[in-house]
Amino acid sequence: QVQLVESGGDLVQPGGSLRLACAASGSIRRIRSMGWYRQAPGNQRESVATVFSDDSTNYTDSVKGRFTISRDNAKNTVYLQMNSLKPEDTAVYYCNADIQTTYYSIVRPWGQGTQVTVSS
């Protein structure tokens, strides 16, 4: 069984910064990719950023130049550095990972979510 635990959500003023972290634990053979999603009230969950095993990344257009995703393979942890935050970034942020647990098995767990609120 694999678990993802997020941390770092908070209330921040527009223009401020936050750093989210997501740690994976459990029966992990290899982590293929890790990413962040977000869901604002009344909206569908959307992909924000993903980092792959070769360290390549992709971002949704609205966060390019402001958010940076990175991973620490030794700690099975992914980070999301969020700068120049805007009120429209307000959402529950979820971690998701593509994890190989055995030679034949791949799981894609979700974290419990962490609230990010951008408001003055």
Side-chain angles (χ1 to χ4, degrees):
Q1 190 171 356
V2 177
Q3 286 187 318
L4 301 178
V5 178
E6 300 113 332
S7 61
D10 206 344
L11 169 64
V12 63
Q13 292 189 344
S17 297
L18 279 178
R19 188 192 195 209
L20 305 183
C22 170
S25 63
S27 180
I28 299 171
R29 180 184 175 94
R30 185 171 73 98
I31 299 179
R32 291 152 34 120
S33 66
M34 298 186 82
W36 291 94
Y37 289 69
R38 65 186 179 187
Q39 187 167 19
N43 290 357
Q44 289 188 335
R45 191 173 296 188
E46 64 169 347
S47 175
V48 176
T50 304
V51 59
F52 300 93
S53 57
D54 62 357
D55 287 333
S56 62
T57 58
N58 61 36
Y59 298 89
T60 192
D61 286 345
S62 62
V63 308
K64 285 180 180 177
R66 300 188 298 122
F67 291 10
T68 302
I69 190 170
S70 61
R71 62 191 285 178
D72 183 332
N73 293 327
K75 296 181 179 180
N76 289 333
T77 298
V78 64
Y79 304 95
L80 186 67
Q81 178 66 44
M82 304 186 293
N83 299 328
S84 303
L85 282 161
K86 305 175 181 180
E88 51 263 43
D89 294 317
T90 296
V92 178
Y93 283 69
Y94 297 91
C95 178
N96 179 251
D98 193 334
I99 297 174
Q100 185 177 5
T101 56
T102 69
Y103 187 83
Y104 301 104
S105 178
I106 295 172
V107 296
R108 297 181 177 86
W110 289 90
Q112 81 285 357
T114 186
Q115 178 70 48
V116 172
T117 303
V118 184
S119 175
S120 55

